[in-house]
Amino acid sequence: DAGVTQSPTHLIKTRGQHVTLRCSPISGHKSVSWYQQVLGQGPQFIFQYYEKEERGRGNFPDRFSARQFPNYSSELNVNALLLGDSALYLCASSSLSNQPQHFGDGTRLSIL
Amino acid sequence: KQEVTQIPAALSVPEGENLVLNCSFTDSAIYNLQWFRQDPGKGLTSLLLIQSSQREQTSGRLNASLDKSSGRSTLYIAASQPGDSATYLCAVYKYSGGGADGLTFGKGTHLIIQP
């Protein structure tokens, strides 16, 4: 079975642009979460979606938004990119909140 | 606010040794605790998940324990191998009345196993 897949793997943008990152969960998983990991730190929680509804939001500005589609895939959108948004963006899926979260390999976003 | 601390930040040991990685968290009202490994430039691989009602979980050479009341977890790796070299991350999950809080991670322990 395929694991969590994320696209693209790498992305280079300039300040002020916007970006869309995509995630496909493991088949049968209805919960998708997004995390930001800067170098040398643990991942920071951005959003959790379950059954296409937002179930949780971390301490990130409104420039960050997300949605989940009927097939449970998800998009993370970031507007007005800043240098500080450079990070590895990770997507995780799980069947239920209290079950293991499985991560994709992430999208490496670099802001110039 | 939940804070997760991992000690040590880095560890280098010879192959074959048994070792213990430590994790502590400030808010004991957690749903579960999960241990991950992360290889350079990669995503996270789930190793073990311990529900809040459990005391420990085992998978192969790995054993994780949880003492929720004291806010501590340990990951025990037996007979370490060079392939175990990676960063090990501890994360706790909490669901509050207002919604999911997501996983709160520590900064990780960077482990090197010397051949």
Side-chain angles (χ1 to χ4, degrees), chain A residues 98-99, chain B residues 31-33 49-55 57 66:
Chain A
N98 63 349
Q99 295 303 306
Chain B
Y31 230 51
N32 57 48
L33 182 146
L49 178 139
I50 309 178
Q51 301 291 354
S52 61
S53 58
Q54 298 175 323
R55 297 285 292 184
Q57 283 287 331
L66 173 64

Side-chain angles (χ1 to χ4, degrees), chain B residues 11-82:
Chain B
L11 183 63
S12 180
V13 300
E15 179 179 4
E17 283 201 5
N18 303 322
L19 52 98
V20 175
L21 308 182
N22 296 290
C23 171
S24 62
F25 47 95
T26 54
D27 184 349
S28 62
I30 62 169
Y31 230 51
N32 57 48
L33 182 146
Q34 200 166 352
W35 282 93
F36 298 88
R37 70 173 278 168
Q38 186 172 31
D39 294 289
K42 296 292 188 179
L44 280 61
T45 299
S46 178
L47 298 173
L48 290 164
L49 178 139
I50 309 178
Q51 301 291 354
S52 61
S53 58
Q54 298 175 323
R55 297 285 292 184
E56 66 178 314
Q57 283 287 331
T58 297
S59 176
R61 296 183 292 109
L62 305 179
N63 175 276
S65 68
L66 173 64
D67 184 342
K68 201 175 77 159
S69 61
S70 68
R72 295 182 181 180
S73 176
T74 61
L75 178 66
Y76 175 83
I77 302 176
S80 58
Q81 303 171 357

Side-chain angles (χ1 to χ4, degrees), chain A residues 33 35 37 40-45 48 55-58 88 90 97-106 108, chain B residues 31-32 34 36 38 41-46 49 51 89 93 95 98-108:
Chain A
S33 299
Y35 294 82
Q37 186 179 26
Q41 302 291 318
Q44 296 286 318
F45 172 64
Q48 181 178 11
R55 296 300 180 98
R57 172 187 288 252
L88 180 67
L90 296 163
S97 297
N98 63 349
Q99 295 303 306
Q101 294 203 28
H102 299 273
F103 283 76
D105 280 341
R108 174 75 61 187
Chain B
Y31 230 51
N32 57 48
Q34 200 166 352
F36 298 88
Q38 186 172 31
K42 296 292 188 179
L44 280 61
T45 299
S46 178
L49 178 139
Q51 301 291 354
L89 292 155
Y93 183 82
Y95 191 96
D101 292 346
L103 288 169
T104 300
F105 284 84
K107 292 183 179 180

Side-chain angles (χ1 to χ4, degrees), chain B residues 88-100:
Chain B
Y88 289 80
L89 292 155
C90 165
V92 295
Y93 183 82
K94 179 179 177 181
Y95 191 96
S96 61

